Structure formats: C-alpha cells, structure tokens
Amino acid sequence: EISKLELRVDYNPKRLDYERLWNREGVEDVLQFFNLVPIDDMALVLAPVKLAGMAGWPAVVAGIIEVWRPKDRSDVLRMLPGLVGGISPLRPIMNVGTGFAELVMLPIEHYQRDGRVMYGLQRGATSLLRRAAFEAANVSAHLSVGAQVVLEQADDLLTPAHLSNRDGPSVSKFAAQPGSVSEGVREAYRSFTRGLTDAAATIFAVPLREYHQTGTGGMVKSVIRAVPVAILRTGMGTTEALSKTLLGVTNSLDPFRFRKLAIKYKVPPRQ
C-alpha cells in the first residue's frame, strides 16, 4: 500500500519524436507534447495505491504503474491544469495572471468581510507588482544565463585546451545563487572583474609569452587569435554579472524559492 505522493518535477527534454507528435493516436503519442518545452518545479500528485494478491516484484511494479499512468487521452487532459504551472514558458503568464486576479478579488473579499475596499486594493496591487517584478527579473536572468552558456561554448571552440580557464566538474549556473540584491551585486562585480581580467590576460599576457618563446611572428599570430577570445570573455563576464544581479533580485522577492533551490541543487546557500 502506497499513500498519495506529491512530487516536484524538473524535466529538460533531449529528444522529440515528431512522428508520434503528429500521430497522436495513443497515450504515448500525446505525452510527446511534454518534450516540446522544459518543465521546472512542476507539481505532480500520484494517486494512492493498494494492491493485493501480487506474485513477485515485477507484478507489483506493473500494478503500481498501471494505477499511476494515464489510461487514455481524457486522463492526460484532466492532468493538464495542474501541470501547466510547471511549464517554463507559461509560468510567468500564469503568475502575472494570478496577480491580476488578486487585484480584482482581494478588494471584493475585503469589502464583503469588513468594508475596507482600499486595503484590499492595496494588497492586490502589491501582489501584482511583486509578481510582475519577480517574473521580469527571473525571465531576464534565464536569458542572461543562456547567453553566457552560448558565449562559453564559443570560447571553448576558439581557446586551446591548455589556455582554458574552466576546470573541474560542470556545475549548474543556477546552483549557489545569491540570496539578496546586495549579494547579487557583489557577485556581479566579481564576475565582471574576472571577465575583464581574463580578457586582458588573453590580449597581453599570452602574446607576451609567445614573443619570448617564438619571437615577433608568433606574437602577432597570438594577438590575432586573442582578439575574438578577449571579446568573448568580456561578454561572458558581463552576462554572468547581469544574471547574478537578477538572480539576487528574484531571490529577494521570493526567499522561500531561494531555500528550495539550495535543496534542489544540493549546494548550501552562501551567507
């Protein structure tokens, strides 16, 4: 017997089966829609399971899957309202829409309760502005992180392995986020300074080393190769600084989300 389970799901699709997507005849075909967009912190509720008379673990596992899986297309459609909030591109629209709903409903609620319409309107407006500011900062932060990743990939293509400044295991850009605006600004300053330092080292230090090793010809070639790399590293520092600032803003607006992210990425928040 298994009690009801409430899960939070992150899902980054890697492959989309277009044939099944257009087919849409079975449940598996309908589920291909989930491969169209990433899912972030989606709430998923699994029904309680009670089985009896099952012979062996394979039968138990099969019975559990049978209870949990959607039986037909209508089951999938019934699940959609609870799942839409986890679809990354739709989350800002839903959150801002909730803010607009509170702007209308809270004055009505307070009017019916104690007649304080203006207090309800103030609460509704505060909720709407807070949600709008959070989503604007959050979307901008994700765009900045995406731009940083693209620049880093370009830098890896242009930079020899022995000159790369990225060592160690890869860590998500969203791990160990700044917990406040002030912390975000401090990290942004360090990121921007690091980008400028890397760019300066690429432009001056590497060609100087080449000059001592191979002479003027090697130095000129090194400078020509270094210019695009220096531009990329300046851009990397700038986008990282912007993302750190914006992540600090979002976490200041929603401290509970900041604590959840620390658990999610298994990286203790920096205080």
Side-chain angles (χ1 to χ4, degrees):
E1 183 175 352
I2 302 176
S3 301
K4 182 178 70 173
L5 296 178
E6 297 183 5
L7 306 176
R8 294 284 177 170
V9 179
D10 292 343
Y11 176 63
N12 292 309
K14 302 296 183 182
R15 180 178 177 273
L16 176 63
D17 191 329
Y18 290 97
E19 183 177 348
R20 281 191 163 183
L21 180 65
W22 290 111
N23 189 24
R24 298 197 302 273
E25 291 183 355
V27 174
E28 291 78 7
D29 299 334
V30 176
L31 291 176
Q32 285 297 317
F33 281 101
F34 289 105
N35 287 330
L36 289 172
V37 291
I39 293 173
D40 180 30
D41 199 31
M42 179 184 68
L44 183 63
V45 179
L46 299 178
V49 179
K50 187 173 183 179
L51 301 174
M54 311 300 290
W57 281 108
V60 172
V61 173
I64 294 173
I65 293 176
E66 181 64 23
V67 172
W68 282 346
R69 77 175 183 88
K71 302 299 187 297
D72 50 37
R73 189 176 304 179
S74 62
D75 286 347
V76 176
L77 294 177
R78 279 196 298 270
M79 293 169 58
L80 286 180
L83 304 181
V84 167
I87 299 177
S88 298
L90 297 182
R91 173 171 289 180
I93 300 173
M94 291 191 62
N95 283 346
V96 174
T98 301
F100 276 109
E102 290 179 346
L103 182 62
V104 175
M105 298 305 297
L106 286 177
I108 297 174
E109 178 183 332
H110 279 275
Y111 174 76
Q112 294 174 342
R113 182 191 306 169
D114 50 25
R116 296 169 30 171
V117 178
M118 293 306 300
Y119 178 69
L121 185 61
Q122 179 183 0
R123 285 188 58 198
T126 301
S127 174
L128 174 59
L129 291 175
R130 189 181 187 88
R131 289 175 183 273
F134 173 84
E135 292 301 338
N138 193 41
V139 170
S140 300
H142 279 73
L143 292 175
S144 298
V145 169
Q148 180 189 350
V149 170
V150 171
L151 291 174
E152 288 181 353
Q153 292 173 345
D155 180 68
D156 289 339
L157 291 176
L158 295 176
T159 305
H162 67 282
L163 296 180
S164 176
N165 59 356
R166 283 187 296 281
D167 299 320
S170 176
V171 179
S172 171
K173 303 295 183 188
F174 297 101
Q177 296 183 16
S180 64
V181 176
S182 59
E183 186 178 350
V185 171
R186 288 195 299 270
E187 293 193 17
Y189 175 77
R190 288 195 291 267
S191 298
F192 185 67
T193 303
R194 183 168 58 249
L196 292 180
T197 302
D198 289 344
T202 303
I203 287 290
F204 298 109
V206 176
L208 184 61
R209 185 167 64 245
E210 290 291 331
Y211 172 75
H212 289 302
Q213 293 177 353
T214 61
T216 305
M219 183 188 71
V220 173
K221 293 179 181 179
S222 179
V223 169
I224 294 174
R225 292 195 302 266
V227 170
V229 175
I231 295 173
L232 285 173
R233 292 190 174 177
T234 302
M236 287 159 52
T238 302
T239 53
E240 183 178 3
L242 181 59
S243 67
K244 294 294 185 184
T245 303
L246 292 169
L247 288 172
V249 172
T250 59
N251 291 328
S252 294
L253 293 170
D254 191 351
F256 178 69
R257 173 182 176 273
F258 175 56
R259 292 192 293 271
K260 286 200 306 181
L261 289 173
I263 298 172
K264 171 181 174 180
Y265 289 107
K266 298 181 175 62
V267 177
R270 289 167 290 182
Q271 302 294 340

